[in-house]
Amino acid sequence: MNKDDLISVCGAGGFIGGALVADLRRQGFTRLRAVDIKPLHHWYQRFDDVENIQLDLQEKEPCRIACNGAHTVYNLAADMGGMGFIENNKALCMLSVLINTHLLMAAKEAGVQRFFYASSACVYNGDKQKQFDVPALKEADAYPALPEDGYGWEKLFSERMCRHFRDDYGIATRVARYHNVYGPDGTWDGGREKAPAAVCRKVALAKISGKHEIEIWGTGEQTRSFMYITDCVHGTQMLTNSEFVEPINIGSAEMVSINQLVDIAEDIAGIRLTRSYKLDAPKGVNGRSSDNTLIKSIFNWEPSVKLRDGLERTYAWIYDQIVQGKASL
């Protein structure tokens, strides 16, 4: 790519999309189009030297606007959130299939050279995630298909759509299966936040308020791996600019339980909390982490930011948001 090629980032008002636009600017790309359904003042990051557009990408004509003249399109747009959101909003999650479908159609019409789709580890077969201490998920584990209901099915279907637009129409599609991205400038309250941000918020609120208690969803034995935002942004661009065409994991191989995640956040905050467990809360599969054999063999790279290091930065940012009055005690 040339630095003056037009790059369109869809979902740019969100966490990952905003971080991607920031990194592209840092690298010196001069023609950036940022698109999101949210009003501009609700975007997580926004830059005045970028073409910022509010569009509903579930509709076909806005997708044409997003793709017009673009060399590369990054599709990070979706109606999604943490487990509490996706378990209770399956229809909304499924409707995101309209975004990827219409963007692919528009990309074909516009002659887009590269098209990236952000998929998820939620596409993986649920039968392989029933134990807490499970083998890491490799790319082949998506089939036979039994993904997360709603959100996971939409992601898996959209992966197939990318494949067939590549095979039938020659669009150079790239698909990444993200594993739990976290970091500063992300969703941290309101019901759409994921576990690292939720835990950091709860621990920070406990420290500030003096009420040294925390509620944990499920038993706390559920295991996950969590990827820091800089690793996500680097891996996304690396894949998009490569010649590798199959879906690939972009996630950390450092698996921890939710209880261990709380341990780390407590250590960072310098407090110990009394734990209560909400056993009827949404908690997802029992175990999930990223097998990075393929990405290491293809790219000689894998996400490398240690959870403790990333969580320190995330906790500090969320703590500051609370102190600045952006959440109620």
Side-chain angles (χ1 to χ4, degrees):
M1 287 187 62
N2 297 316
K3 291 296 175 70
D4 60 352
D5 284 333
L6 176 61
I7 301 173
S8 184
V9 179
C10 300
F15 171 39
I16 302 173
L20 177 60
V21 172
D23 192 66
L24 290 166
R25 288 179 71 252
R26 180 190 60 78
Q27 294 176 59
F29 286 96
T30 59
R31 297 182 63 209
L32 299 174
R33 178 179 294 150
V35 180
D36 204 283
I37 193 173
K38 294 186 290 293
L40 297 182
H41 63 276
H42 286 162
W43 290 22
Y44 288 105
Q45 297 188 65
R46 180 162 52 89
F47 305 95
D48 291 337
D49 58 350
V50 170
E51 181 188 3
N52 301 304
I53 312 175
Q54 182 185 359
L55 293 172
D56 181 358
L57 295 174
Q58 292 186 91
E59 303 294 333
K60 189 172 183 180
E61 191 55 39
C63 289
R64 287 193 173 111
I65 296 171
C67 293
N68 183 44
H71 176 283
T72 297
V73 172
Y74 287 93
N75 180 15
L76 301 157
D79 201 346
M80 59 85 66
M83 191 53 59
F85 178 82
I86 66 175
E87 283 202 4
N88 292 308
N89 295 277
K90 293 184 174 66
L92 280 178
C93 290
M94 289 293 289
L95 284 172
S96 291
V97 74
L98 296 173
I99 299 173
N100 196 58
T101 302
H102 287 144
L103 276 176
L104 280 169
M105 294 169 70
K108 173 179 174 288
E109 291 176 6
V112 168
Q113 299 298 302
R114 291 285 166 118
F115 185 98
F116 171 86
Y117 177 66
S119 188
S120 165
C122 288
V123 303
Y124 284 116
N125 189 310
D127 284 346
K128 296 181 180 291
Q129 303 171 76
K130 290 185 174 180
Q131 305 302 315
F132 298 119
D133 187 16
V134 295
L137 293 161
K138 56 185 182 295
E139 285 77 5
D141 290 333
Y143 296 94
L146 188 61
E148 188 89 37
D149 197 15
Y151 179 71
W153 275 111
E154 185 275 322
K155 289 295 185 186
L156 193 61
F157 177 86
S158 292
E159 283 190 12
R160 303 299 294 188
M161 185 74 78
C162 287
R163 174 174 180 167
H164 296 309
F165 266 70
R166 185 184 75 244
D167 291 345
D168 293 356
Y169 303 123
I171 298 176
T173 57
R174 303 291 184 264
V175 174
R177 292 174 181 162
Y178 289 156
H179 288 248
N180 293 307
V181 187
Y182 74 100
D185 293 306
T187 304
W188 58 279
D189 68 350
R192 290 181 183 249
E193 67 278 12
K194 295 188 176 182
V199 167
C200 285
R201 184 195 73 245
K202 290 178 180 181
V203 172
L205 285 170
K207 184 177 179 68
I208 294 167
S209 69
K211 299 175 183 177
H212 287 187
E213 302 172 351
I214 186 170
E215 180 183 82
I216 298 172
W217 287 8
T219 64
E221 298 175 275
Q222 312 96 275
T223 54
R224 296 290 188 277
S225 65
F226 302 100
M227 174 174 51
Y228 193 63
I229 182 62
T230 55
D231 278 333
C232 177
V233 168
H234 176 81
T236 295
Q237 294 174 79
M238 179 184 69
L239 173 63
T240 302
N241 296 324
S242 77
E243 297 308 310
F244 187 77
V245 301
E246 298 299 330
I248 196 168
N249 284 333
I250 299 183
S252 171
E254 183 184 358
M255 187 172 74
V256 297
S257 70
I258 300 301
N259 280 327
Q260 289 171 322
L261 181 67
V262 175
D263 289 342
I264 297 170
E266 287 178 338
D267 285 343
I268 292 167
I271 58 174
R272 284 289 176 266
L273 305 178
T274 300
R275 303 180 185 190
S276 62
Y277 294 90
K278 186 174 175 57
L279 300 181
D280 61 348
K283 55 186 179 296
V285 297
N286 285 332
R288 175 186 293 157
S289 69
S290 180
D291 184 317
N292 288 344
T293 303
L294 181 59
I295 197 167
K296 287 191 290 186
S297 68
I298 299 296
F299 296 103
N300 193 30
W301 177 89
E302 66 175 320
S304 60
V305 176
K306 296 298 183 185
L307 180 59
R308 169 74 188 226
D309 295 336
L311 211 64
E312 282 184 349
R313 301 166 204 164
T314 306
Y315 176 84
W317 181 80
I318 290 175
Y319 185 94
D320 287 345
Q321 302 304 299
I322 297 170
V323 170
Q324 292 167 20
K326 296 180 181 179
S328 58
L329 298 179

